Amino acid sequence: MTESNKPLNTDSEQVWEPGQLLLGDFEVQRVLGQGGMGRVYHVRSRTTAMEFAVKRALIKNDNSRQNFLSELQTWIDLPEHPNIAACRFFRTIGDEIAIFAEYASGGTLADWIRDRRLTTLEKILDVAIQFAWGLHALHQHGLIHQDVKPGNVLMTTGGIAKVTDFGLARARLRGGDGRFYSPVAASNNESMLANFGGMTRAYCSPEQAQIEAMWKNGTPLEALPKLSRRTDVWSWGVSLLDIFYGEVSCGYGQTAGQSLEAYFRDNVARESLPRMPVEMTMVLGKCFQPKPEHRWKNISEAADALILLSEQTSGRPYHRQTPIKSSTRSGAMPSNDRRTTGGMEWSEPLKWLRKAFRAAGYDPAKAELHIPARTGSRRAQAIADMVVYEEAYRIFERLVAEGQAVLEDELAALCREKAFIHENTGDSVGAVELFARAIEILQRQVTQQGRAELESELAMAYADIASASCNLFDKTVSVTFYNRSIEIYERLVQQEGKLELLNSLAAAYMNKGSVVSALGDKITAVALYDHAIEIRERLVNGIGRSEVADDLATAYMNKAVAVKDMGDAASAVAFYDRAIEILERLGNQEKQRKPADNLAMAYVNKAMAVNAVGDSLAAVVLYDRAIEIWERLVNQEGQREFANNLATTYMGKAVAMSDSGDKRSAVAVYDRAIEIKERLVNQEGQRELADDLAMAYMNKATAVCALGDKHGAVALYDRAIEIYERLVNQEEQRELANDLATVYMNKAVAVSALGDKRAAVALYDHVIEIRERLVGQEERRELLGDLAWAKGLRAEELISLGERSKGMAEAQEAIESLRAEVARTGQVDLQRIVTRLTNVLSKS
C-alpha cells in the first residue's frame, strides 16, 4: 500500500489537506463543502490535468457505508445531461470509497445567491430553467432527488447549472420488517421515502414533514405514505424564492406559500437584485399547492412557463435548446453476467451474505431482505452486488478480528471475489488491496499452519494480483507475482499430480508472457506462450477439455502478437488464423458461449499483421469485422469495459486506411477513436490510456499533414506533446521518451514545411537531446539510427538557413552513423535518409 493510499481515519473525519496526493495522481486543491454523507473535495489529475469533485464518505457505521454505496449505484447510472453533475468513476482509497464526479468551477447556486451574482431577471430565469431541466431528467430516470436546494446545484463560471448530491435518491433504509425498500415504483415514477433523515428542513415539502412526524410517532416504514416527484417541485420552488430574497427564504420549507405572500405584502427588495415579476407568482404558487396532485404535473411544465416568461420580459427567444431525453450512459446487461473482462466470475452475493449471517448467529433466511434491486447498467448492477459484498465482508472482518480464526478461509475467498467486482468497475486500486489481503491470509495459513490444501488458492491469488497490478506499478512487480504463482502451480502439477490445475498453470505462463512482452523481451514472451500452448493443446486435443479451446486460441493470439513485433508478420498471420479458426468454430457450436470479444481481438491482431505485410485493404475488412463485434458489445449490450478495445480498433483501421492512401477517411476514423479515448482518460479516470490518446493525436496529425493542413497538424502534434511531456517528465514514464521524441520530430517536419526553419531546428534539438540520453545513459542502441536520422534532418535545416559549413559537417557525420547502422542492423529504410542527405551535400 502506498503512503497516499493509507486510510487516514476509518470514520473519514480527518480532512485531506491541499497538496496531498491521492492514488499517486490526484492532487487535493481544497475542500468544496460538507454534505450529509461526507466531505466534497476539489482535486486535479497530474496526468491529465482534469479536475474532479470528489465525494468522500463519512463512514461512521455499516448503514452509512451502505447508503454511500447506494448513492454511488444511483449516480453512476444517471444519463449524460448538461444539467446533471456526472459521476465519472470511483476509487478505493485506504478502506474508503471515493466518488469522482464532474467538477464545476463556479461553486454552488447557494454561493451565487449569497454573493448576489444573479443580478438580472434574465439570468435568474436561465438558471431556474436549467435547474428544472436537470430535475426533470432525474425524474425521467425514475428517481426523486428528495433534497433539492441551492446548495445541491453546482454552477460553472459560464452559468451552467448542474444538479448534484444524490445521496437520498436511492439511499436505502431498513424497515420494521428488516427489508430494504426500493425507492422506485416503476408504474408511475413515484418513490417511497428511502431516507428522510438527511432532508433539509428549509426546503422540505409538507408531505416530507408529515412523513417525518409519522416516523417519529412510531409508524413503521412500510406503512408510510409515498413521495412523488412533485415533492421535488415544491423544493425547487423554495430554491427559486431564495434567489429573489437573496437569502434563505423559509425557516421551514412547508411555509413557502406564506414566504411568497410576504415577499409582495412586505415589499421585500434586496440591493442589486431584480424585483420578482408578478407573473412568477403563478409559477411558484402552483409549486406551493399543499396537495401534491395540484402542483405542476412535471417540472418540465414549470420550466416551459419560465421560458415563456423569459421571452416576454426580454423580448427575444430563449437561447438554450431543451435537452433531449437521454438513456443511461451504459446499457443493461443480463442479471447473471458477473464477469470481469478477463473472464473471472464472482458469485451471487446472496450466497456470501447468508454465510456471513450464519457465522454471526443471525437467521440466514433473512439475508435475502438485504439485497438491493440489481437494475440498470452493468456498472450499476456490479455496484449493487458490491453493496452486499461489503456487508458480508464487514461481518467476516469483525468476526475474524474478534478471534474466530476458523473463518479466515471464507474471508480470503470473499476478498478475491469482491476484488473481481472492483476490477470490473475500474477500481484496480481496490482490487489490489483485496487480493493482497487474501494473499496475507492464505500465505500465513499455508506456511505457518501447514494448510497445504490452500496452496492452489494462494497461487490463484498471486495470479490475480499480478493481473490487477499490471497497470498500477512497474510491470516487473507483476512479473514477480506471476513467478510466485507459477512456482506453486508447477510444484502442485509436477510433484503432486494435480492435473486439474494445468490450465491455471498455462494461464499464468501466458499472462506472464504478456507482461514480459510489454517490457520488450519478445523472445522470452514467445517461449512462455509456447509453454501455455503446449499445455492447452494437450488439454483440448489429448484429454478432450473442449472448454479450454477459447483459452488455447488466446495463447495462439498472444504468441502471434509477439512474433509480429519481432518482425515476422507472415508467421504471425498463420498463428492468428489458427486462433480465428478455433474461435469461429466455438461461436458456431450450440450451447457454447460465443467468445465474441476474443474473436474480435483475433480479427484486430490479424489485421495489424496483414497491414504490416502490405495488404491494407484486407486489413480494413478485418478491422470492420472487429468493430462490428465491439460496437455490439459496448453500445448494444452495455459492456463498457470493452470501450478501449473499440477505440483501439478504430485507430488500427485509420492506420490501414491511411496506408492505403485514403487519408481523408482515416482522419474521420481517428476522430472516432479520439472521442472514445478522451472520454475514458478525462472523464472516467483511466489515466493509463493517456499515452494511447497521445498516439491517436500524433497519428491523426500525420494524416492531416499529408492532406496539406500543416497548421492543423501542428496543433494536433502539440496536444500529443503536452500529454507525453506530462507522462515522461512528471509521471516519470521513461519508456515513453522516444515516443515524445518522435512527436517532436514529426512536428519539426510540419513546421519546416510552413517555412519556419529556425523553429524546426529547435524541435530537432529536443529530439536529439532525448535520443542521446536514451542511447548514452540507457544504452538503447536500437535508437542509434533514429538519432542519426534526427541529426541529419537538423543538418539539412541548418544548410537551408545559410549555416552551410556547420550543416554540411553535421550531415556528413549523420551519413557515416547511418551507414554504420545499416551495416550493423540491415535497416534498409535508413539508406533512404543516407541518399537524401548525400543529395543535399552534393547540391550544397
Side-chain angles (χ1 to χ4, degrees), residues 423-498:
E423 195 171 4
N424 185 66
T425 50
D427 183 23
S428 296
V429 173
V432 167
E433 295 282 351
L434 287 160
F435 287 136
R437 180 77 171 102
I439 288 170
E440 175 197 348
I441 296 170
L442 293 168
Q443 187 74 57
R444 184 175 63 253
Q445 290 179 317
V446 169
T447 58
Q448 297 179 16
Q449 300 175 22
R451 300 280 303 282
E453 74 276 11
L454 297 178
E455 284 191 297
S456 61
E457 292 185 35
L458 178 59
M460 282 190 290
Y462 273 124
D464 292 334
I465 198 171
S467 174
S469 64
C470 191
N471 289 321
L472 290 179
F473 313 117
D474 188 309
K475 287 182 169 53
T476 56
V477 174
S478 184
V479 171
T480 300
F481 287 135
Y482 278 127
N483 285 340
R484 292 180 183 174
S485 178
I486 289 169
E487 178 187 357
I488 298 171
Y489 278 135
E490 283 186 335
R491 185 177 68 253
L492 294 175
V493 170
Q494 295 172 11
Q495 297 180 17
E496 301 185 22
K498 295 187 175 182

Side-chain angles (χ1 to χ4, degrees), residues 318-330:
Y318 182 57
H319 63 288
R320 300 189 194 277
Q321 292 293 318
T322 306
I324 60 173
K325 181 179 179 180
S326 302
S327 60
T328 57
R329 288 196 293 271
S330 53

Side-chain angles (χ1 to χ4, degrees), residues 168-183:
L168 303 185
R170 195 186 289 185
R172 302 180 311 148
L173 192 66
R174 188 177 297 151
D177 59 356
R179 183 180 299 274
F180 281 116
Y181 284 86
S182 169

Side-chain angles (χ1 to χ4, degrees), residues 207-447:
E207 57 270 28
Q208 283 179 298
Q210 177 192 11
I211 291 172
E212 181 184 38
M214 292 173 66
W215 171 261
K216 288 182 176 180
N217 288 330
T219 305
L221 179 66
E222 60 274 17
L224 293 174
K226 288 183 178 180
L227 287 176
S228 77
R229 59 195 175 192
R230 290 173 179 171
T231 194
D232 287 346
V233 172
W234 181 288
S235 301
W236 171 79
V238 179
S239 302
L240 267 58
L241 199 55
D242 280 8
I243 299 176
F244 286 101
Y245 266 89
E247 60 189 16
V248 176
S249 56
C250 306
Y252 202 22
Q254 61 181 332
T255 64
Q258 294 95 302
S259 294
L260 177 61
E261 291 177 5
Y263 180 90
F264 288 98
R265 184 187 65 240
D266 300 338
N267 195 26
V268 174
R270 295 289 185 268
E271 184 181 352
S272 74
L273 289 180
R275 179 79 175 160
M276 182 192 301
V278 174
E279 292 85 351
M280 276 292 295
T281 59
M282 186 277 292
V283 177
L284 293 180
K286 199 166 181 179
C287 292
F288 300 146
Q289 292 297 309
K291 292 185 177 181
E293 61 269 23
H294 294 162
R295 298 174 202 155
W296 294 100
K297 182 179 179 181
N298 61 66
I299 203 164
S300 69
E301 292 182 352
D304 290 342
L306 292 187
I307 290 172
L308 180 61
L309 177 58
S310 175
E311 292 177 341
Q312 289 173 344
T313 55
S314 69
R316 53 180 175 272
Y318 182 57
H319 63 288
R320 300 189 194 277
Q321 292 293 318
T322 306
I324 60 173
K325 181 179 179 180
S326 302
S327 60
T328 57
R329 288 196 293 271
S330 53
M333 69 172 179
S335 60
N336 63 346
D337 190 347
R338 291 185 164 98
R339 291 175 301 182
T340 68
T341 54
M344 303 303 295
E345 296 188 42
W346 64 90
S347 302
E348 159 69 50
L350 180 58
K351 179 193 84 169
W352 279 109
L353 196 56
R354 283 173 176 162
K355 285 184 178 182
F357 273 32
R358 189 176 295 110
Y362 309 147
D363 182 359
K366 292 187 177 180
E368 191 171 348
L369 303 177
H370 295 243
I371 306 298
R374 195 171 189 265
T375 58
S377 71
R378 293 174 62 86
R379 286 198 300 176
Q381 291 188 47
I383 292 168
D385 282 355
M386 191 167 69
V387 170
V388 185
Y389 266 89
E390 273 284 320
E391 189 166 356
Y393 177 74
R394 295 291 161 187
I395 293 173
F396 274 113
E397 277 276 16
R398 175 173 54 81
L399 295 175
V400 169
E402 291 172 355
Q404 296 192 42
V406 70
L407 297 176
E408 285 194 318
D409 289 12
E410 297 279 24
L411 178 58
L414 174 59
C415 284
R416 283 191 67 236
E417 293 206 46
K418 185 172 184 287
F420 294 147
I421 304 179
H422 285 264
E423 195 171 4
N424 185 66
T425 50
D427 183 23
S428 296
V429 173
V432 167
E433 295 282 351
L434 287 160
F435 287 136
R437 180 77 171 102
I439 288 170
E440 175 197 348
I441 296 170
L442 293 168
Q443 187 74 57
R444 184 175 63 253
Q445 290 179 317
V446 169
T447 58

